[in-house]
Amino acid sequence: MPRDSMPLQDLPCFSLQSYPLSQSKNSNKRKSRGCLSEGLDTECTPTELIQQWSPSHKHQRLISKGKENDGNQFVIGRRSRRKKESTSGISWDHLPDELLLRILFCLPLQDLLRLSTVCKRWHRLAFDESLWRSVDLEGLTHVDPALSQVLKTGVRRLRCPRSFVEELHFAGSGPLQIVEMDLSSSIIPTSALESIICRCRLLEYLSLEGLPLSDAIISSLSKNPNLLQLNLSGCSGFSAPALADMLKSCCSIEQLNISWCDFNSNHVKSVVDTVSSSVTHLNLSGYRENLTLDHVKVLVTRCPHIQTLDLSDSTLLMADSFAVLKQLKHLLHLSLSRCYHIHLAALNDLGKMVPTLYLLDVFGIVLNSHLASLKKEMPHVSINSRPFSFVARPTPASRLCDRTMWNRKCQLRFKL
């Protein structure tokens, strides 16, 4: 019977001597790739095909070892099945969202943004509202896109002082969730600031120091009845009636810094007539000839719980104001710096008139040579130890390097 027509089981087992390698190579060229896949895909493969399509070192091992090969018997060749490698540990994909959010909570701002580009799930988690409740963007030159994105995340505490905002575009008209915000000494258009403040209803701590404002912004502040600390030092651009309406509505204010604003006598009168009676820290400095003794009388009567009062640079005040100030039974800190009509001799009696006084600032009216004698008259009072006002300021000037905002740091902070 011809070999080509013999059954598969009757074919003899070929060795390298009877089936030369050169013939095998020539056969390879004649056979198509389809024949290869047909032969090796079957469970039982003849030795000829194994020798024909295997590397040379495997040919030698197949012939030299095994009793079946020595006896020219049929060999069953099975392809080795690759075992799945056992994976140790737990995959990130198997972790629940709650656990991943706890991990992401520990990441700095830049790393969180990089992580958001990994996949859709991580992008969703990276911008979860719970991670963006406390953000510090100080140090960004063009903060417009970053600020727009942060406002969309439902931020609660936003620190963005000394920043530059050219234009601000963010979609949506719903209320913002901001409770504490510091935009002090920033460069921001009034229209952009209006778009932020008009959507705030939950503000408790706010600093807009040094910014140009408008009546619309001041009116929007009146819609935040829970406002506790407000810093408008050095602001301008709003009228006395708008200021009065805002102070009437914000009746919970405890700390108010409204010093060195672009005020006239009507503005000062609006403050002393309408400021909340619950205020305990008030900075009303910088109104040289607009703040009079009559204003101080109204203020003391209206706000009997004042603990810190700054009337610096009020050049119309004289020593007769001490008799009015002694009515403040809780007064701890008094600033009368550069009130040049108050003489040193009158200050000697101030410690006795106000026994609760603990801090006294009289920069500009007491020379260093007279400071020692004044301290002897008031040994329990610390004199000229606070050159900068702390009233309602989110970050006192003496601690600008620690980047705190009302004694707490923000969780997400931009690092240069």
Side-chain angles (χ1 to χ4, degrees), residues 4 10 15 52 60 73 75 83 115 134 146 169-170 180 187 204 214 244 262 294 363 400 402 409 415:
D4 294 339
D10 294 334
S15 63
Q52 182 178 346
Q60 185 65 29
Q73 296 182 2
V75 176
K83 295 182 179 179
L115 181 142
S134 180
H169 303 286
F170 57 97
E180 303 177 22
I187 300 176
E204 296 181 7
S214 64
D262 185 18
D294 291 337
F363 293 99
L400 285 177
D402 62 6
K409 289 187 178 182
K415 296 180 180 180

Side-chain angles (χ1 to χ4, degrees), residues 165-168 170 188-197 217:
V165 179
E166 187 174 3
E167 293 181 358
L168 190 64
F170 57 97
I188 178 172
T190 304
S191 58
L193 187 58
E194 285 180 3
S195 65
I196 297 175
I197 301 298
I217 293 176

Side-chain angles (χ1 to χ4, degrees), residues 86-143:
S86 59
T87 56
S88 59
I90 302 176
S91 171
W92 284 92
D93 296 333
H94 296 159
L95 296 179
D97 288 357
E98 294 77 9
L99 184 55
L100 284 175
L101 287 174
R102 292 291 297 175
I103 297 174
L104 300 184
F105 185 78
C106 302
L107 296 180
L109 179 57
Q110 281 94 328
D111 291 344
L112 189 62
L113 293 177
R114 293 189 189 101
L115 181 142
S116 66
T117 62
V118 173
C119 61
K120 290 184 178 180
R121 184 194 181 200
W122 284 28
H123 182 275
R124 173 177 56 82
L125 292 174
F127 287 99
D128 188 83
E129 181 178 334
S130 62
L131 301 178
W132 294 84
R133 294 186 176 182
S134 180
V135 182
D136 184 353
L137 296 179
E138 182 184 10
L140 286 179
T141 304
H142 298 284
V143 75

Side-chain angles (χ1 to χ4, degrees), residues 260 263 268 284-292 311-317 337-341:
W260 293 99
F263 279 3
V268 176
L284 199 56
S285 62
Y287 302 113
R288 304 175 182 278
E289 297 182 358
N290 290 321
L291 183 67
T292 64
L311 301 175
S312 300
D313 297 278
S314 301
T315 55
L316 297 181
L317 295 183
S337 299
R338 296 169 296 279
C339 295
Y340 296 112
H341 288 166

Side-chain angles (χ1 to χ4, degrees), residues 232-403:
L232 299 180
S233 176
C235 293
S236 59
F238 52 95
S239 64
L243 177 62
D245 292 340
M246 185 269 292
L247 292 176
K248 288 178 183 178
S249 301
C250 301
C251 55
S252 301
I253 292 180
E254 298 176 355
Q255 294 195 26
L256 176 63
N257 190 337
I258 200 161
S259 60
W260 293 99
C261 294
D262 185 18
F263 279 3
N264 54 33
S265 57
N266 292 329
H267 287 87
V268 176
K269 187 176 186 303
S270 297
V271 174
V272 299
D273 287 346
T274 58
V275 66
S276 172
S277 58
S278 61
V279 69
T280 57
H281 298 70
L282 178 63
N283 188 341
L284 199 56
S285 62
Y287 302 113
R288 304 175 182 278
E289 297 182 358
N290 290 321
L291 183 67
T292 64
L293 180 61
D294 291 337
H295 293 144
V296 177
K297 291 179 180 179
V298 174
L299 183 63
V300 168
T301 303
R302 183 175 179 82
C303 307
H305 304 292
I306 290 181
Q307 301 176 13
T308 299
L309 180 61
D310 193 340
L311 301 175
S312 300
D313 297 278
S314 301
T315 55
L316 297 181
L317 295 183
M318 297 186 293
D320 56 356
S321 62
F322 294 169
V324 179
L325 294 173
K326 73 176 184 180
Q327 300 176 31
L328 297 174
K329 303 302 180 182
H330 306 283
L331 186 61
L332 300 175
H333 185 186
L334 177 63
S335 295
L336 297 171
S337 299
R338 296 169 296 279
C339 295
Y340 296 112
H341 288 166
I342 299 177
H343 300 286
L344 176 62
L347 289 175
N348 292 331
D349 300 330
L350 186 60
K352 298 177 182 178
M353 297 178 67
V354 187
T356 58
L357 196 62
Y358 176 70
L359 297 170
L360 176 63
D361 298 326
V362 284
F363 293 99
I365 62 177
V366 177
L367 300 177
N368 292 334
S369 57
H370 299 151
L371 190 59
S373 61
L374 184 61
K375 289 182 177 180
K376 288 183 180 179
E377 295 293 332
M378 294 184 288
H380 63 285
V381 180
S382 178
I383 302 174
N384 288 354
S385 60
R386 300 283 182 89
F388 304 105
S389 176
F390 283 57
V391 177
R393 278 186 169 157
T395 307
S398 60
R399 299 203 307 266
L400 285 177
C401 58
D402 62 6
R403 300 184 69 163

Side-chain angles (χ1 to χ4, degrees), residues 212-233:
L213 307 180
S214 64
D215 284 354
I217 293 176
I218 297 298
S219 298
S220 297
L221 290 180
S222 63
K223 299 177 182 179
N224 294 267
N226 297 325
L227 198 59
L228 298 176
Q229 294 191 24
L230 177 61
N231 179 19
L232 299 180
S233 176

